[in-house]
Amino acid sequence: MSADSRVASRYAKSLLSLAEEQGKLEEVHNDMQLVDATCKESRDLAVVLKNPIIKHDKKRSILEAIFKNKVSDLTLAIFEIICRKNREEILPAIAEEFHIQYNVFKGIEKATVTTAVKIDKGLRESFEKMIKQISDKKTVELEEIVDEKIIGGYVLKVGDRQLDDSIKSKITELELQFSKNPYIKEF
């Protein structure tokens, strides 16, 4: 974990505690998701936040111009604090870390399923049920990725575990088995 990610984690943890204490947890969570999405969509914003030449009060003004009337007063106050502490460049990391800590606080398991085609509602529910059994969590946040290279089946990632039941992995496994010829003696 880098120094910036540790600092972002501390800010996110403090913000989570404060938002929960003030009864604004859901509101601030939505704000942080908006900040995260905006930073990912706007390369210009990310560049401005990291630029050491742009003054901190100018960065705060830019953040306020973008997010005023879209986020809560508590979120705007966090912008003020990070700008005053010259930490604007870690705002995207704070937003990401806030979501991770929110999921931990709420008992939500984040998982990713990769399939060759888009999954339907029934299959999604099956994956969610499987994830709940694996993780012992009651709520699941399932991210779907479509990757035609896996040919068929699925790859499911839950925390640090991965279930690979894709056709591609089975073909790779067969290729490995066929590369070992039992009739040729190895030296």
Side-chain angles (χ1 to χ4, degrees):
M1 184 179 256
S2 72
D4 280 349
S5 60
R6 279 194 297 274
V7 172
S9 178
R10 287 187 195 121
Y11 274 103
K13 193 175 290 184
S14 297
L15 179 58
L16 184 105
S17 295
L18 190 58
E20 207 267 323
E21 183 181 298
Q22 292 184 7
K24 296 182 176 182
L25 184 58
E26 297 305 320
E27 188 178 352
V28 172
H29 179 247
N30 292 335
D31 294 349
M32 287 293 110
Q33 288 195 299
L34 175 65
V35 169
D36 185 37
T38 304
C39 289
K40 285 179 179 169
E41 290 171 11
S42 174
R43 185 181 173 324
D44 292 341
L45 178 59
V47 169
V48 164
L49 291 174
K50 289 181 180 180
N51 190 329
I53 297 171
I54 299 173
K55 295 192 182 305
H56 302 289
D57 57 336
K58 181 67 174 166
K59 291 179 186 179
R60 188 185 75 241
S61 298
I62 291 169
L63 288 170
E64 285 179 6
I66 294 171
F67 295 107
K68 189 126 180 149
N69 300 323
K70 293 180 183 173
V71 297
S72 69
D73 291 339
L74 184 55
T75 303
L76 289 173
I78 288 299
F79 293 166
E80 172 71 32
I81 291 168
I82 65 170
C83 289
R84 198 176 35 208
K85 301 273 187 182
N86 305 329
R87 297 286 194 173
E88 308 87 356
E89 72 278 356
I90 65 167
L91 179 60
I94 293 170
E96 277 185 44
E97 185 62 32
F98 186 89
H99 183 64
I100 292 166
Q101 291 185 21
Y102 173 86
N103 282 353
V104 170
F105 181 77
K106 289 287 196 170
I108 300 170
E109 183 66 59
K110 180 159 177 27
T112 305
V113 64
T114 305
T115 56
V117 295
K118 187 163 175 45
I119 61 174
D120 64 9
K121 183 181 176 188
L123 198 51
R124 181 180 180 78
E125 289 171 356
S126 296
F127 279 120
E128 288 176 353
K129 184 177 178 185
M130 186 187 318
I131 295 162
K132 287 175 184 176
Q133 290 173 344
I134 291 170
S135 68
D136 293 329
K137 301 273 173 107
K138 293 183 179 9
T139 310
V140 173
E141 181 181 300
L142 184 61
E143 177 186 357
E144 298 173 31
I145 299 172
V146 176
D147 181 2
E148 296 167 356
K149 293 177 191 166
I150 71 167
I151 304 169
Y154 64 90
V155 177
L156 180 64
K157 293 180 185 175
V158 181
D160 60 353
R161 290 174 261 174
Q162 177 172 305
L163 296 157
D164 190 343
D165 196 27
S166 66
I167 303 289
K168 181 181 179 184
S169 71
K170 290 179 180 176
I171 290 172
T172 304
E173 192 177 305
L174 278 173
E175 286 173 344
L176 182 64
Q177 287 178 1
F178 284 137
S179 71
K180 296 177 183 176
N181 189 335
Y183 302 106
I184 298 176
K185 189 174 180 181
E186 293 183 26
F187 297 97

